[in-house]
Amino acid sequence: MTSGDGGLQRFVLVRHAEASLNVLGDDDLLPGFDPGAGLTPLGERQARALAAHLPRDPAVRPPGPAPGPSVRLYCSPQTRAARTAEALAAALGVPAVADGRLAELRAPEVFPQPVTVREWDAVLEDRLRRPDAEVFGVESWAHQRRRVREFLDARCPPAEGAGTGTRWVLVSHSETIQALLFELLGLDDVLLHRTRFKISNTGVFIVDRTEDGCASLVVANSKTHLARTA
């Protein structure tokens, strides 16, 4: 990864490590949306590998004798993201602050009837094709994007940290990171019909933003830290 200019805000977006929900088969049944799903044993190893790697990455803490940029760590309160952030917080030496606006899409914890994983994936695809619609009782893309915008405005305003190169490390979920990327990069929702970001477990994205709001995608879905976790 690449070190950044001290005059930029740098956003380091991290998806949570592998959770029990991520290893289900296409025909497995989901009785509802489970915000309490924990990490698998592999997920725990992924979280530790990420924590061992990220604090030493020059993209987060550039080398040199001078004090590096400050790091602020925010996470979704849902178990799989909070556990991933907990490992990162210990390694970075900063607290992990939970914020509900970084939670995964809001969906019923009990569905009217169980659906297969394949059917659930179709629901997620349908909601992106109809950004303003609530599909199957699931929060619309438009609403999800609005709440991540509210998070960025409240926690990471452009005027704050731009002069010191503050690093904002945000640990969240695939759909929420998708919304964060669209919001930070100023992408129009019409692009959802043909453009998506692949977001793997503990995949790392880096976006730089200048004080005037111009953003650049620097790193996409980096998994260098996972080389020895299989």
Side-chain angles (χ1 to χ4, degrees):
M1 296 181 192
T2 308
S3 61
D5 188 314
L8 299 170
Q9 281 184 310
R10 169 154 286 184
F11 295 88
V12 182
L13 312 180
V14 183
R15 187 185 177 194
H16 62 79
E18 183 185 83
S20 55
L21 286 173
N22 303 135
V23 295
L24 298 175
D26 286 346
D27 295 320
D28 287 337
L29 287 176
L30 296 173
F33 182 75
D34 182 8
L39 299 184
T40 64
L42 174 58
E44 293 284 356
R45 295 197 299 275
Q46 290 175 342
R48 290 194 295 270
L50 177 70
H53 171 83
L54 204 61
R56 297 197 305 270
D57 194 306
V60 178
R61 284 198 167 140
S70 63
V71 176
R72 301 184 188 182
L73 174 59
Y74 292 96
C75 68
S76 158
Q78 290 168 322
T79 304
R80 53 199 184 276
R83 176 68 191 96
T84 305
E86 179 185 329
L88 264 181
L92 288 166
V94 298
V97 179
D99 192 305
R101 290 169 292 195
L102 291 180
E104 186 54 298
L105 53 80
R106 293 166 182 165
E109 292 190 25
V110 178
F111 296 143
Q113 60 185 40
V115 297
T116 65
V117 170
R118 182 183 290 105
E119 289 168 336
W120 175 245
D121 288 343
V123 168
L124 299 183
E125 179 65 22
D126 192 17
R127 74 184 284 272
L128 293 181
R129 294 189 178 279
R130 296 189 288 154
D132 294 314
E134 285 193 7
V135 179
F136 200 64
V138 176
E139 175 186 31
S140 71
W141 162 267
H143 188 275
Q144 186 176 22
R145 181 166 177 171
R146 186 162 57 250
R147 66 175 161 89
V148 302
R149 183 184 313 132
E150 290 170 356
F151 168 85
L152 292 170
D153 289 345
R155 299 286 198 177
C156 323
E160 185 175 345
T164 59
T166 297
R167 271 54 171 160
W168 311 88
V169 181
L170 311 180
V171 182
S172 189
H173 310 261
S174 59
E175 300 294 320
T176 306
I177 290 176
Q178 196 90 234
L180 282 163
L181 288 166
F182 265 68
E183 190 63 30
L184 285 168
L185 296 171
L187 302 180
D188 194 282
D189 287 346
V190 71
L191 293 174
L192 287 168
H193 291 285
R194 60 179 184 273
T195 301
R196 309 284 167 76
F197 293 96
K198 179 176 175 58
I199 304 171
S200 304
N201 290 121
T202 66
V204 176
F205 290 76
I206 294 179
V207 177
D208 283 346
R209 184 172 71 177
T210 62
E211 283 186 89
D212 63 2
C214 183
S216 302
L217 180 62
V218 179
V219 169
N221 205 35
S222 173
K223 298 179 288 180
T224 305
H225 54 279
L226 296 183
R228 299 182 181 179
T229 60

